[in-house]
Amino acid sequence: MRLPSVRLTSATVRGKGKARRAAKGRGVAAVARAGFVGRGVLYLLVGALALRIAFSDGGDGRQADRGGALAEIAERPFGHVMLWLLGGALAGMALWRLSEVFFGQAGPDGNTAGKRAIAGARCLFYSFVTYSVIAYAAGDQGSGSGSSDKQTQDATAKVLDWPGGQWIVAAAGAGVLVAGVWIAGRAVLRKFRDKLRVSEMPRRMRQTTDVLGVTGGTARGVVFGVAGGFAITAALRHKPGEAKGMDNTLRSFADTGAGPWLLALIAVGLVAFGLFSFASARWRKF
């Protein structure tokens, strides 16, 4: 009497096994590699725009954020086609992160609930980025090219009007701040090596990747941390204008005693992270 149930359980196990192998197969690895390339393109362009801001008195009005990067691509020959390709590449990153939610990440601790939750958050983030890029390519320029500063301030103002809004904004800012410290700390400790096929790399490539990973990850973490600090300030003062998107966060580095040189240093770091993303596309474990 229980034989059909046993057969059904066996078929379910086999189906899950096939799905897991597919999630770890070449197809998913290919879309993930495309996603790393897409991420690299965005960070290269944002870093280049930040350098322009540092040394050209404001960067000619171009935003040093995702919107500015998309506008930069759109102005190039075949820019429309490149935008669609970029959107497809970033969709690959979102799909790969989704596969990690269901089947875990590479590595001995990749199946833990914490790792799956982080993968889910990354999936949501890259899904949003993909949507904004594809919407921009389809003609809705407001979806992708709007100022990150205005979007951040509008969202902050809306949340601050909610009951307990100050606590929500402060908690979100603290989360971004902690994430920035975590990102920078892992970069300094070279934790990214755990995700790369280091033993297969030529020695010079390994050394170059280490420099790019440490420099790029640290700069990225610093930007996240400072943005989180601005969000906390906006919550404490109940002033949404204190919150800053990526563009104004980057510009704030030029307002320090180091002047444009600190912004330039951060910008070089973001360019390094873009190049590190390209290296990850080649050497990442999947």
Side-chain angles (χ1 to χ4, degrees):
M1 296 292 293
R2 296 180 180 178
L3 189 58
S5 177
V6 172
R7 285 201 296 265
L8 181 60
T9 301
S10 177
T12 301
V13 171
R14 287 197 301 271
K16 288 182 177 179
K18 289 181 179 179
R20 186 179 297 277
R21 286 192 295 274
K24 303 294 183 182
R26 293 182 177 179
V28 172
V31 297
R33 294 183 198 283
F36 278 109
V37 172
R39 186 182 74 175
V41 169
L42 286 179
Y43 271 95
L44 277 175
L45 289 174
V46 170
L49 289 168
L51 277 173
R52 185 187 301 176
I53 289 171
F55 295 115
S56 64
D57 192 24
D60 302 326
R62 185 59 53 85
Q63 300 285 317
D65 53 19
R66 183 175 64 252
L70 297 183
E72 194 78 12
I73 294 173
E75 293 173 358
R76 304 304 175 195
F78 305 104
H80 188 71
V81 174
M82 290 193 296
L83 285 172
W84 281 105
L85 291 174
L86 178 61
L90 292 168
M93 178 70 85
L95 288 172
W96 173 54
R97 293 304 188 183
L98 182 62
S99 75
E100 291 186 328
V101 174
F102 290 105
F103 304 107
Q105 302 180 16
D109 62 341
N111 288 318
T112 62
K115 293 287 187 180
R116 290 174 186 265
I118 291 173
R122 287 168 171 166
C123 175
L124 290 174
F125 172 75
Y126 282 109
S127 295
F128 171 75
V129 175
T130 299
Y131 168 78
S132 68
V133 174
I134 291 177
Y136 185 89
D140 184 6
Q141 296 187 357
S143 295
S145 65
S147 166
S148 61
D149 304 306
K150 185 177 186 306
Q151 293 169 356
T152 299
Q153 291 168 6
D154 288 347
T156 302
K158 185 177 296 185
V159 175
L160 284 175
D161 287 337
W162 295 352
Q166 278 184 284
W167 291 102
I168 296 172
V169 173
V176 175
L177 174 60
V178 170
V181 174
W182 183 75
I183 290 169
R186 287 180 61 85
V188 172
L189 296 174
R190 296 191 297 179
K191 291 292 186 180
F192 53 82
R193 278 178 154 233
D194 297 339
K195 303 294 186 181
L196 302 176
R197 303 193 311 277
V198 177
S199 61
E200 300 176 24
M201 290 181 174
R203 183 176 63 85
R204 182 160 296 182
M205 173 59 70
R206 186 166 59 247
Q207 293 171 341
T208 301
T209 302
D210 278 348
V211 172
L212 294 175
V214 172
T215 304
T218 302
R220 184 172 177 243
V222 168
V223 172
F224 270 70
V226 172
F230 283 130
I232 294 172
T233 301
L236 294 177
R237 297 181 179 177
H238 207 282
K239 293 182 178 179
E242 297 285 347
K244 301 181 187 297
M246 177 170 277
D247 179 64
N248 272 348
T249 297
L250 288 171
R251 291 174 189 269
S252 70
F253 292 108
D255 296 332
T256 64
W261 294 103
L262 181 57
L263 173 57
L265 183 63
I266 295 295
V268 169
L270 295 179
V271 170
F273 188 77
L275 296 174
F276 174 76
S277 296
F278 295 153
S280 295
R282 173 65 178 85
W283 300 105
R284 179 85 179 200
K285 294 176 183 176
F286 297 108

